[in-house]
Amino acid sequence: MRRPEFLELFARHRCGAPTVLGPGLAGRELLTLEGDDPTVLYNMDMPYATPLCLGLALSTALPRVVALEGDGSLLAGVPGLGTVGRYRPRNLVIIVLDNEAYGSFGHGEMASATSAGVDLERLGRACGIDRTATVRTLDEAERALARAMAEPGPWLVVAKLEAHGDTDPRFARVPPDVADGGLKFYRALRALTGRDT
Amino acid sequence: MTVSQQVPRPLVGYREDAARLLYASLKNNGVNFAVFLPDTVLHVVDKLLLADPDIQTVVCSREDEGAAIAMGAYWGGKTPVLLMEGSGYGLAGLILARGVVQRSPLLIISSHNSVLGERFNYHAATRLVAQPILDALRIPYHVLRDVDEIPTVVREVLLTISGQRLPAAILVPRHILIEG
């Protein structure tokens, strides 16, 4: 399963749920799929997508908040999984794009710890997150995303992906700058939570 | 008597009145979401926040994670505060920088400072890291000197945070919350 294929599936299941991405090429791919949607915040610094979404999930009644992490980002923020497992917000979904590499440069030559057997799903379960899945095919991903976006969480979905570089010309566009994107995201959240009425 | 049967003996004496004043100042000025990593100096304030059902609390695992959680809570409509030992700035530089860039209002209350009351050498690194990080990121801060100024400082810092849409910090030296 390649990352753009998985992200296309995710975009179909997202249904406008506020989403925060960690750094990396996945942002370019989702931007191409979603366009300039202000409910997506790109390039959150590693490893803060999950804790930002935890704060957002705990502080709102939004039906779903999604942290879209790379395996490198999640490995950098493992203590945060314990906090998610402690407070267990039902509206939080963490999705990990696990290509077993620091893959946004060098065509995936730099392997991450998941390539050596670190199991992110088991890590999440050990931290108290009991709604989890590891998916390796688009069919598995379809089923897991449908549940994660509808059933009470918190959810941790680990998508095992092929490592590939930045050679796909469809995804050349760079996400908006972080200040501009942050402001648009904030305004979108105000509207979604009824604070602009 | 085994170790577990021993009556706990507080290592420090707290100024409960000052802790209550700091807690009340936060609550009276609209703070309704508190993230903290427990530490010695702020311990009583943390406990008061935990006991208040009107204030949502999160005990984080690392201070940088806590800053990110608090920023997310702000996006969700809360008025958050992050409480931590000053050493946390050493971990939180990147996410605080992101907060500056994204104009995220965040009140930080941290123990320790560079010059007042740092009697223990094991706080040598803690003492060094806070103010230089805040200075480098141009995050404004105030070092408390007297208990009496707590209500005014909390109120005015929160006004600045809200008006300017930025993180700002109140540094709490030992003598504010600990006796002797």
Side-chain angles (χ1 to χ4, degrees):
Chain A
M1 181 165 59
R2 291 172 64 83
R3 190 173 55 214
E5 297 167 340
F6 176 82
L7 287 173
E8 196 171 349
L9 202 57
F10 167 68
R12 281 202 279 112
H13 283 277
R14 191 173 75 87
C15 299
T19 299
V20 179
L21 274 79
L25 293 173
R28 297 188 188 192
E29 293 162 0
L30 193 64
L31 177 68
T32 300
L33 294 164
E34 291 283 21
D36 291 316
D37 187 327
T39 61
V40 181
L41 182 66
Y42 295 96
N43 284 319
M44 179 46 60
D45 297 278
M46 187 167 95
Y48 301 120
T50 291
L52 273 159
C53 287
L54 174 60
L56 183 55
L58 288 171
S59 63
T60 65
L62 288 165
R64 280 292 180 276
V65 175
V66 182
L68 201 52
E69 300 267 26
D71 48 317
S73 288
L74 199 75
L75 286 165
V78 167
L81 288 179
T83 313
V84 171
R86 179 174 183 174
Y87 293 98
R88 303 186 184 197
R90 294 160 61 91
N91 56 349
L92 177 63
V93 178
I94 304 165
I95 297 173
V96 189
L97 307 168
D98 182 5
N99 57 10
E100 302 185 352
Y102 296 90
S104 291
F105 52 88
H107 308 292
E109 294 159 332
M110 292 290 178
S112 78
T114 62
S115 74
V118 172
D119 186 326
L120 297 177
E121 182 186 0
R122 288 178 65 190
L123 200 54
R125 294 188 77 83
C127 288
I129 304 170
D130 50 17
R131 310 304 298 271
T132 64
T134 296
V135 297
R136 291 180 169 78
T137 67
L138 287 172
D139 284 344
E140 290 175 357
E142 174 78 46
R143 289 192 291 274
L145 288 175
R147 292 187 64 197
M149 298 304 287
E151 298 177 14
W155 275 88
L156 174 65
V157 177
V158 180
K160 299 297 280 190
L161 303 168
E162 295 174 28
H164 66 92
D166 55 355
T167 55
D168 191 330
R170 291 179 296 165
F171 308 119
R173 189 176 163 214
V174 177
D177 75 71
V178 295
D180 194 38
L183 192 57
K184 288 177 178 172
F185 189 67
Y186 174 63
R187 286 177 178 154
L189 288 168
R190 285 185 63 89
L192 282 173
T193 54
R195 284 177 282 152
D196 280 346
T197 57
Chain B
M1 181 180 282
T2 66
V3 171
S4 62
Q5 291 171 320
Q6 290 174 355
V7 176
R9 182 173 59 86
L11 294 173
V12 293
Y14 286 104
R15 300 182 66 176
E16 301 262 352
D17 56 336
R20 288 191 179 281
L21 189 60
L22 181 48
Y23 152 74
S25 299
L26 294 170
K27 182 166 181 171
N28 292 342
N29 286 285
V31 169
N32 55 10
F33 193 102
V35 186
F36 58 88
L37 191 64
D39 81 292
T40 301
V41 174
L42 298 171
H43 174 62
V44 177
V45 182
D46 295 343
K47 283 204 304 182
L48 290 166
L49 290 165
L50 270 175
D52 187 335
D54 296 331
I55 298 177
Q56 198 170 356
T57 52
V58 175
V59 181
C60 59
S61 304
R62 293 169 46 119
E63 295 91 339
D64 55 339
E65 176 212 3
I69 293 169
M71 287 181 193
Y74 166 74
W75 280 341
K78 298 288 187 179
T79 300
V81 61
L82 169 66
L83 301 103
M84 64 183 192
E85 188 179 275
S87 51
Y89 291 105
L91 292 172
L94 180 63
I95 188 63
L96 291 177
R98 181 71 178 232
V100 171
V101 171
Q102 286 193 174
R103 302 189 65 196
S104 300
L106 172 62
L107 173 60
I108 306 162
I109 295 183
S110 58
S111 60
H112 298 282
N113 70 114
S114 62
V115 68
L116 298 176
E118 295 298 333
R119 66 171 78 168
F120 297 120
N121 184 257
Y122 52 73
H123 286 133
T126 298
R127 184 187 70 79
L128 278 180
V129 75
Q131 284 157 273
I133 293 283
L134 291 167
D135 288 335
L137 297 175
R138 298 186 181 179
I139 293 175
Y141 61 89
H142 177 86
V143 182
L144 285 175
R145 299 197 176 190
D146 297 303
V147 172
D148 291 346
E149 68 172 334
I150 288 174
T152 303
V153 168
V154 170
R155 183 185 70 233
E156 296 299 313
V157 171
L158 278 166
L159 283 177
T160 300
I161 286 170
S162 174
Q164 306 304 316
R165 291 174 49 87
L166 47 68
I170 299 171
L171 277 56
V172 184
R174 181 196 60 83
H175 73 274
I176 298 290
L177 292 174
I178 292 178
E179 299 279 6

